Amino acid sequence: MRVPKIHEGEYRFCLIMWEHEPVSSLELVRLCQEKLGWKRTTTYTVIKRLGDRGVLKLENGVVTALISKEEAESAEI
């Protein structure tokens, strides 16, 4: 399986997601605001973008990764 490209800002988001998953989207918004200084809309945009690319899934308000941190890192090497 080919791992989708994850850009730098998205990767910082993913680090938070991987650390806390499974995590509610509301909690992820709070964490991204606290750690990255992002607004709610920015977080939801990144969730949608990464969901469309198959990096994560949002189901019933819960975000879970479809790609592990190790898979993402090995794809960048």
Side-chain angles (χ1 to χ4, degrees), residues 17-55:
M17 176 191 63
W18 288 319
E19 183 178 338
H20 295 92
E21 76 169 321
V23 61
S24 75
S25 58
L26 291 174
E27 178 68 4
L28 206 46
V29 165
R30 186 189 69 74
L31 288 166
C32 288
Q33 185 173 24
E34 178 184 301
K35 296 181 183 221
L36 303 175
W38 288 6
K39 294 184 178 181
R40 176 184 58 82
T41 53
T42 303
T43 302
Y44 281 116
T45 298
V46 171
I47 290 171
K48 169 137 180 45
R49 191 180 305 148
L50 292 176
D52 290 346
R53 293 203 325 253
V55 174

Side-chain angles (χ1 to χ4, degrees), residues 2 4-5 9-11 13 15 17-18 20-22 34-39 48 56 58-59 64 71-72 74-75 77:
R2 189 178 157 279
K5 174 82 173 150
E10 295 168 341
Y11 182 75
F13 165 88
L15 289 174
M17 176 191 63
W18 288 319
H20 295 92
E21 76 169 321
E34 178 184 301
K35 296 181 183 221
L36 303 175
W38 288 6
K39 294 184 178 181
K48 169 137 180 45
L56 59 79
L58 173 62
E59 192 171 72
T64 53
E71 288 172 314
S74 68
I77 294 174

